[in-house]
Amino acid sequence: MKKIDELKDEIYKWDNAQNICDLIISSAVEVWSSDIHIEPLSNVVRIRYRIDWQLHEVLEYQVFLHPQIVARYKILSNLKIDESRMPQDWRISTIIDQKWLDLRVSTLPTVNWEKIVMRIVDKSKKIPTMEMLWIEGHNREVLEKAIGQPNGIILTSGPTWSWKSTTLYACLSSLNKPNVNIMTLEDPVENTIDWISQSQVFPDIWYTFASGLRTALRQDPDIIMVWEIRDKETINIAIEASLTWHLVMSTIHTNSAAETITRILNMWIQAFLLPASVNAIIAQRLIRKLCTCKKEVNAEELPENYKEMIKKALSKTKKEELINRVWLEKLKKSIFYIPVWCDKCNKSWYSWRLWIYEIMEITPILKQMIIKWESSVVIGETAVDEWMISLEQDWIIKALNWLTSIEEVYSAVKEN
């Protein structure tokens, strides 16, 4: 890529830290990177970009240049230049290629030098809609029903960097009307939305999610979005808010919708409060979306382990869901696509990302199971029996729609 070639040339000159720092960011933007890693090793410093969820090494440079680059990024993000013993984080706002970008800069002392990681947020992009996030079929019905309630809690779960907050932003945008008071508590505020009061918490001065949520309840809100539930105090206040006629949305770190219930119960929340307050739980993942340079393959040509996985997942999927979301012609032929490569996707076979969802509606049967403290495995299986679309099923439906490859589905399912 052009910018990366320029970066390599500039690194070899070793004489202009400002140009190098600018090119590190602009070359990352050019290849649609979501994160920049500048990692000092024992004798070199390595630069890696996270592209479509995977880290790719771009280049290495000599250690003696690293202090200048660290100092430059600290100046840009208003961090203390002389403090190298403690982690620091803040942000850089800049415009590159007519795009307004926010870079969340984090420094970490290591045994060699300070490591820098920057998360790239494109502020020029519009808040995505549910269609853009590929929330369709039964999942769409359950989510619209949940956010249409005047009160309750909606939780989004998933690993770090699965873009849980993007899903919440999409929900808030669909609810953003002149007669509704929406407030958010975030850390940090990644995207600004017109007509919504957004506040950033500062734990260093005791402005936490819990204290902010208490204050927000005195601001006459209809809907509150809390960036993350991390402790018992925050979830307790969120439950109280939902029971007093507020709609609360938040994220939580768990692997599945069913595990979210177990996680909350393990925070010593009384079991009867959960079914009374929670409307829906969303679990999500990001996987890679196929580039246009894809190649058709029939299901019969796939390896046996792939066939087994497809058969098992689709046997538990509601027939109407398959017909509504997959063309009948595709279902009959069972055609999938495999990645090839082209210059457009930079020979990586994939282009951009795709969201996968399971959205659990808290039905009367699940409410009884929660009160009895049933295990997450049993709750998850029961939810699928009640026609919840699991992550695995949503993966395969999207592969049938030729949006991703069956190899991507299989590798993701194995990891989970």
Side-chain angles (χ1 to χ4, degrees):
M1 303 297 279
K2 184 181 176 184
K3 291 282 185 186
I4 292 178
D5 292 337
E6 286 179 31
L7 175 59
K8 289 177 181 176
D9 292 341
E10 201 69 37
I11 285 283
Y12 295 141
K13 291 178 186 176
W14 297 342
D15 62 355
N16 195 329
Q18 181 176 341
N19 279 359
I20 292 169
C21 289
D22 292 344
L23 279 167
I24 287 172
I25 297 171
S26 60
S27 60
V29 172
E30 185 188 27
V31 295
W32 297 93
S33 171
S34 61
D35 300 87
I36 302 169
H37 292 243
I38 303 174
E39 304 165 317
L41 308 175
S42 56
N43 53 355
V44 293
V45 180
R46 176 174 63 178
I47 297 178
R48 294 194 291 173
Y49 293 158
R50 189 175 291 280
I51 304 168
D52 294 335
W53 197 244
Q54 297 191 346
L55 281 170
H56 300 268
E57 186 170 335
V58 179
L59 57 83
E60 295 177 348
Y61 62 84
Q62 297 299 313
V63 175
F64 73 84
L65 191 62
H66 190 58
Q68 300 172 49
I69 290 175
V70 171
R72 174 65 184 166
Y73 282 128
K74 284 185 173 180
I75 290 168
L76 289 172
S77 50
N78 292 319
L79 299 177
K80 296 178 182 177
I81 302 176
D82 58 343
E83 181 55 81
S84 59
R85 299 167 301 170
M86 293 179 62
Q88 298 184 73
D89 60 88
W90 198 238
R91 62 174 63 186
I92 300 171
S93 292
T94 184
I95 297 174
I96 296 176
D97 295 335
Q98 298 182 336
K99 295 177 183 176
W100 185 264
L101 302 175
D102 230 14
L103 284 86
R104 290 162 52 181
V105 182
S106 173
T107 67
L108 178 74
T110 69
V111 291
N112 299 308
W113 295 87
E114 284 180 278
K115 176 182 176 179
I116 297 177
V117 174
M118 288 178 279
R119 178 80 190 275
I120 303 172
V121 178
D122 189 348
K123 305 281 279 188
S124 61
K125 285 186 178 179
K126 293 182 179 178
I127 301 298
T129 61
M130 291 184 191
E131 289 84 2
M132 293 166 68
L133 297 180
W134 303 97
I135 304 176
E136 302 168 316
H138 182 66
N139 280 342
R140 178 72 173 269
E141 291 171 15
V142 173
L143 185 56
E144 286 184 342
K145 181 181 175 182
I147 66 175
Q149 300 294 320
N151 67 310
I153 298 175
I154 297 164
L155 294 171
T156 307
S157 67
T160 307
W161 310 132
S162 58
W163 289 22
K164 300 182 290 293
S165 55
T166 303
T167 302
L168 294 185
Y169 280 134
C171 293
L172 291 177
S173 295
S174 67
L175 297 169
N176 192 10
K177 296 172 185 175
N179 62 338
V180 178
N181 180 17
I182 303 177
M183 302 185 66
T184 72
L185 298 165
E186 307 178 48
D187 185 21
V189 177
E190 281 191 352
N191 291 290
T192 54
I193 309 175
D194 291 336
W195 317 114
I196 290 180
S197 303
Q198 296 175 263
S199 179
Q200 178 167 327
V201 300
F202 289 96
D204 291 345
I205 56 171
W206 304 105
Y207 180 30
T208 62
F209 289 123
S211 62
L213 188 49
R214 281 198 200 91
T215 305
L217 290 171
R218 292 192 282 271
Q219 295 280 317
D220 188 29
D222 297 296
I223 301 167
I224 306 171
M225 191 267 269
V226 183
W227 190 253
E228 186 182 346
I229 286 176
R230 298 173 180 169
D231 51 49
K232 180 182 176 181
E233 187 181 11
T234 308
I235 187 62
N236 261 324
I237 301 169
I239 289 172
E240 288 172 15
S242 70
L243 294 174
T244 54
W245 222 247
H246 300 88
L247 186 64
V248 182
M249 301 181 189
S250 189
T251 70
I252 191 166
H253 285 288
T254 55
N255 290 325
S256 68
E259 286 180 26
T260 302
I261 294 168
T262 308
R263 170 78 191 279
I264 295 172
L265 290 174
N266 287 335
M267 291 181 185
W268 299 106
I269 301 300
Q270 291 176 302
F272 71 88
L273 289 173
L274 228 59
S277 57
V278 177
N279 293 349
I281 301 172
I282 306 165
Q284 68 182 74
R285 297 288 188 279
L286 271 181
I287 60 171
R288 294 176 293 173
K289 187 173 181 288
L290 275 171
C291 181
T292 51
C293 59
K294 51 195 175 186
K295 180 184 174 184
E296 186 179 297
V297 62
N298 194 285
E300 293 302 316
E301 301 171 43
L302 296 171
E304 284 302 319
N305 50 356
Y306 287 12
K307 290 182 194 176
E308 259 180 64
M309 175 189 66
I310 295 166
K311 187 177 178 182
K312 183 181 174 183
L314 295 187
S315 66
K316 294 182 179 180
T317 308
K318 199 174 182 180
K319 191 176 180 182
E320 290 84 351
E321 178 75 8
L322 284 172
I323 293 170
N324 288 337
R325 291 179 59 186
V326 184
W327 298 346
L328 284 172
E329 184 185 348
K330 292 181 183 179
L331 273 174
K332 288 174 185 174
K333 292 183 178 179
S334 293
I335 291 172
F336 295 91
Y337 275 82
I338 58 173
V340 196
W341 65 264
C342 69
D343 293 330
K344 183 180 176 182
C345 61
N346 197 26
K347 300 183 181 180
S348 66
W349 308 324
Y350 294 91
S351 177
W352 202 231
R353 305 169 183 87
L354 183 66
W355 282 264
I356 304 297
Y357 290 96
E358 69 177 21
I359 304 180
M360 178 190 287
E361 182 181 9
I362 309 301
T363 62
I365 292 174
L366 294 182
K367 287 180 180 181
Q368 293 300 318
M369 296 180 76
I370 293 168
I371 292 170
K372 293 176 183 177
W373 275 67
E374 293 282 3
S375 71
S376 59
V377 175
V378 176
I379 290 173
E381 289 173 354
T382 306
V384 171
D385 291 338
E386 291 207 299
W387 304 121
M388 179 185 81
I389 305 301
S390 69
L391 285 168
E392 184 179 340
Q393 289 167 337
D394 202 34
W395 265 311
I396 292 170
I397 289 170
K398 287 192 167 79
L400 277 167
N401 279 321
W402 306 340
L403 296 169
T404 190
S405 68
I406 204 68
E407 289 91 345
E408 183 77 357
V409 176
Y410 186 71
S411 62
V413 168
K414 279 202 307 180
E415 288 173 8
N416 290 279

